[in-house]
Amino acid sequence: MLRKRSVLIAAPIAAVALTLAVAGYQATAAGSSSSGGAGRAGKATGATAPCLAGATTLVGDLDGDGHPDKITNPGHTGTKMTIQWGAADGSFGEKQAVSKLLGAKKGEVASAAVADFQNDGTLDMVVNLVEPSGGDDSSTARVAEYRPGPLKRANLSSAGSRHSDIGDHGEVQQLRIANYGDDAYPDLAILNNPGDGQLDRDVRLSRPKSGPGNYDYELMQKYGEYASTAEPPAMPSDGWTHFYKPCS
């Protein structure tokens, strides 16, 4: 389907921005703190299943060591996303910016989404790193990958990483968890800038044993939205709640 695009020059982005939507392992959390700082902040018992510890906080095992970690995502946009790694004694470490862990360079937009995309009990990640062009034509992502878990603490990498096409169709500004397939497999909603003043909601549906798939025209027509920078598309903010219950 052809669409008429309006031309709009995008403003240069000077700082690293981060978008992260996270769905994690359910665990019982007690005495959690969002203030961060030096030392330990909060306690958690052993992780057994995914859960939400508040509207914008996930508690779950990201690195596969059996200890729940804490992911805080103010406003669901991910621009201030942090991770606090869990220890064997149930405590959480200092807050670490996910953009730094991903190795985002100055001027890049770092977007990521974490969920058990294959519904196999292991957390996975989709990540996109791109430096916006600042003009009509969009840039190609420096890194666009699906990373099956477990993830390494040092850089959130995965031994089974594979290329994802989310960075091939424009500049990704956000990645969020969604439930388009109405099944047990979390899907992706992508706020994508393909250029020429356009701003779309792209989608990628997950499949068993494979994670998020590639671009599909029919799925885009059914679940996506073509919009503009002046009137951005709606983005889901309740994707986690379709798959994970509140921490008890």
Side-chain angles (χ1 to χ4, degrees):
M1 179 182 296
L2 296 177
R3 307 187 304 278
K4 183 177 180 180
R5 297 182 177 180
S6 59
V7 177
L8 180 66
I9 304 299
I13 297 178
V16 172
L18 169 71
T19 301
L20 181 64
V22 183
Y25 279 39
Q26 185 167 331
T28 300
S32 63
S33 171
S34 60
S35 60
R40 300 291 183 176
K43 297 281 185 178
T45 61
T48 57
C51 80
L52 292 168
T56 59
T57 301
L58 266 294
V59 176
D61 186 8
L62 289 173
D63 58 359
D65 65 356
H67 310 309
D69 309 303
K70 185 187 295 184
I71 304 95
T72 303
N73 183 20
H76 295 286
T77 64
T79 56
K80 298 180 181 179
M81 173 62 58
T82 60
I83 292 178
Q84 292 172 264
W85 299 111
D89 64 359
S91 62
F92 295 108
E94 296 181 9
K95 289 185 177 181
Q96 298 188 44
V98 173
S99 57
K100 183 176 181 180
L101 292 173
L102 291 175
K105 299 179 180 179
K106 183 178 180 180
E108 285 187 329
V109 174
S111 306
V114 176
D116 184 0
F117 289 107
Q118 299 188 43
N119 193 31
D120 60 0
T122 303
L123 285 175
D124 315 310
M125 172 180 282
V126 177
V127 59
N128 189 91
L129 300 175
V130 62
E131 182 176 359
S133 67
D136 287 346
D137 298 327
S138 60
S139 300
T140 300
R142 177 171 67 86
V143 177
E145 294 179 341
Y146 167 56
R147 301 178 176 184
L151 308 177
K152 294 183 180 180
R153 286 192 177 193
N155 56 10
L156 301 177
S157 63
S158 164
S161 296
R162 64 170 170 79
H163 176 73
S164 171
D165 73 346
I166 59 172
D168 300 343
H169 299 273
E171 297 170 0
V172 173
Q173 295 185 357
Q174 293 185 20
L175 290 174
R176 300 197 186 200
I177 301 301
N179 182 28
Y180 297 123
D182 195 24
D183 54 24
Y185 303 94
D187 305 309
L188 280 177
I190 306 156
L191 186 62
N192 180 51
N193 174 18
D196 293 338
Q198 196 167 322
L199 195 62
D200 302 335
R201 183 183 70 244
D202 290 354
V203 300
R204 299 291 188 278
L205 271 65
S206 296
R207 298 288 184 265
K209 299 182 180 180
S210 64
N214 291 327
Y215 175 84
D216 184 288
Y217 176 79
E218 292 184 358
L219 293 176
M220 180 62 189
Q221 299 304 306
K222 185 175 182 179
Y223 301 114
E225 180 181 352
Y226 301 110
S228 68
T229 54
E231 297 182 3
M235 294 291 289
S237 60
D238 62 348
W240 302 340
T241 62
H242 291 285
F243 305 98
Y244 308 106
K245 297 179 180 180
C247 301
S248 57

